[in-house]
């Protein structure tokens, strides 16, 4: 049992489990599954600066901050106690592509040449973390949700705006990964 | 029960009134309190959401969806994994939502489960594209950012902080943006 838990979970196990978060939060207290709102609540709590978008009672949305706090703890638990230490099984084509940018496949979730404190002070590391993060925060709020709020929760409730948003997430991702990222990785 | 429904509809009207001109549809666009419970609970009731978050964090790690490499595979059509995860999550979620509606299931506190229709606006297109660009760069959407920090990759806190700055800047300029 533990052996099975420690191996990576196949998509047909982990996908449905992620889907179950939608009814879980609804039944726990009418909460809508969504993560990116937490970024807004932090802004509203820490630096509302008289901006109307941040003038609301963020304390009423505290549950969302408890939820993302839980994700941090869950991430720690799973990587400390539910791992078999095997490296990620990456498609060989991708490995080969990445080697041309001096990115070695590592035993980490991220390419450590870029996503590390040393990498932060390289040009490509700075762009991918700081600019990339900015686009994630700006874009999710502009779109009114991220993968969880739109793609999982919105599509589960058959919302057309969420389908449009999801298609745009994918289009943006394909453009970046195939057309723009090769130039950034060369920096 | 009647009382709760009445209270929550007044509450929605109150929100639309106060936020009418400056904040077009903002409460319903986000995962926010348009359908919030009107029951008053002590703060520690929120611990159930902490528990749900812990569960979700574990699932995110074990699903490997927090991996930058998995995201690149998805956008290079080199693996079915991400499509399988998201697709089966949506099917499961949709089945559950259908069941909740069909049997009019109630929350554990006895309130009827409410669903909010999302309104279309152009932000879903422009914002969606912008988020997509950032997603392929960082290899993480907001949920995985938290999970990655928990897994010990502390530098991801910089990405998260930057995402908060992005959210803040959006809030500051949103009235000038097309919606």
């Amino acid at each position: 049992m533990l052996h099975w838990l420690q191996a990576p979970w196949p998509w047909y196990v982990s996908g449905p489990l992620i889907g179950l978060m939608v009814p879980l939060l609804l039944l726990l207290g009418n909460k809508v599954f969504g993560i990116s709102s937490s970024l807004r609540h932090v802004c509203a709590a820490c630096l509302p600066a008289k901006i109307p978008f941040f003038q609301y009672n963020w304390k009423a949305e505290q549950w969302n901050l408890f939820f993302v706090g839980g994700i941090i703890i869950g991430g720690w638990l799973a990587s400390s106690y539910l791992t078999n230490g095997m490296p990620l099984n990456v498609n060989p084509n991708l490995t080969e592509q990445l080697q041309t940018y001096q990115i070695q496949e590592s035993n980490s979730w991220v390419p450590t040449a870029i996503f590390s404190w040393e990498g932060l002070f390289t040009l490509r590391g700075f762009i991918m973390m700081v600019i990339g993060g900015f686009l994630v925060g700006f874009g999710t709020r502009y779109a009114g949700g991220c993968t969880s709020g739109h793609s999982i929760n919105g599509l589960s409730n058959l919302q057309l705006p969420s389908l449009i948003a999801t298609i745009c997430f994918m289009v943006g991702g394909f453009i970046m990964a195939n057309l723009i990222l090769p130039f950034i990785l060369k920096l | 029960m009647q009382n709760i429904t009445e209270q929550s509809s007044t509450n929605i009207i109150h929100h639309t009134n106060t936020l009418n001109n400056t904040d077009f549809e903002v409460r319903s666009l986000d995962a926010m309190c348009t359908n919030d419970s009107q029951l008053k609970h002590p703060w520690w009731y929120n611990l159930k959401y902490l528990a749900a978050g812990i569960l979700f964090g574990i699932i995110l790690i074990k699903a490997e969806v927090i991996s930058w490499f998995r995201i690149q595979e998805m956008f290079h059509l080199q693996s079915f994994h991400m499509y399988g995860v998201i697709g089966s999550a949506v099917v499961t979620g949709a089945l559950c939502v259908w069941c909740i509606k069909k049997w009019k299931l109630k929350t554990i506190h006895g309130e009827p489960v409410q669903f909010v229709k999302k309104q279309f606006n152009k932000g879903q297109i422009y914002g969606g594209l912008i988020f997509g660009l950032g997603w392929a760069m960082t290899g993480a959407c907001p949920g995985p950012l938290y999970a990655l920090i928990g897994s010990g990759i502390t530098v991801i806190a910089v990405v998260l902080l930057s995402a908060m700055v992005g959210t803040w800047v959006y809030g500051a300029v949103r009235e000038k943006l097309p919606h």
Side-chain angles (χ1 to χ4, degrees), chain A residues 31 40 82 91 130 141, chain B residues 30 36 62 78 118 162:
Chain A
K31 302 300 183 215
R40 181 182 180 192
L82 289 177
N91 185 310
V130 177
R141 208 70 271 118
Chain B
D30 296 320
D36 199 19
K62 296 314 295 176
Q78 288 166 331
K118 290 183 196 277
S162 205

Side-chain angles (χ1 to χ4, degrees), chain A residues 13-96:
Chain A
V13 173
S14 49
L17 285 174
I18 292 175
L20 285 175
M21 297 310 292
V22 174
L24 176 68
L25 290 176
L26 283 170
L27 296 176
L28 278 180
N30 254 327
K31 302 300 183 215
V32 179
F33 181 46
I35 315 273
S36 59
S37 310
S38 65
L39 303 172
R40 181 182 180 192
H41 304 328
V42 172
C43 291
C46 300
L47 201 63
K50 300 207 176 101
I51 295 167
F53 191 65
F54 299 121
Q55 305 301 319
Y56 62 93
N57 181 19
W58 63 271
K59 285 185 183 157
E61 320 294 340
Q62 270 182 57
W63 77 272
N64 200 247
L65 300 174
F66 278 85
F67 186 62
V68 297
I71 297 177
I72 298 180
I73 300 173
W76 167 70
L77 282 175
S79 15
S80 310
Y81 301 107
L82 289 177
T83 175
N84 59 8
M86 297 284 280
L88 196 76
N89 188 10
V90 179
N91 185 310
N93 292 335
L94 182 68
T95 313
E96 204 175 308

Side-chain angles (χ1 to χ4, degrees), chain A residues 87-156:
Chain A
L88 196 76
N89 188 10
V90 179
N91 185 310
N93 292 335
L94 182 68
T95 313
E96 204 175 308
Q97 275 172 298
L98 291 175
Q99 269 164 0
T100 60
Y101 308 111
Q102 282 82 51
I103 296 173
Q104 301 297 324
E105 195 183 321
S106 58
N107 200 4
S108 175
W109 298 114
V110 292
T112 37
I114 299 171
F115 292 88
S116 57
W117 289 103
E118 299 80 46
L120 184 61
F121 297 99
T122 63
L123 185 55
R124 63 179 184 176
F126 182 85
I127 292 175
M128 288 171 71
M129 283 193 270
V130 177
I131 314 268
F134 185 93
L135 295 177
V136 167
F138 190 95
T140 49
R141 208 70 271 118
Y142 196 176
C146 61
T147 337
S148 54
H150 271 313
S151 307
I152 312 275
N153 172 71
L155 290 185
S156 292

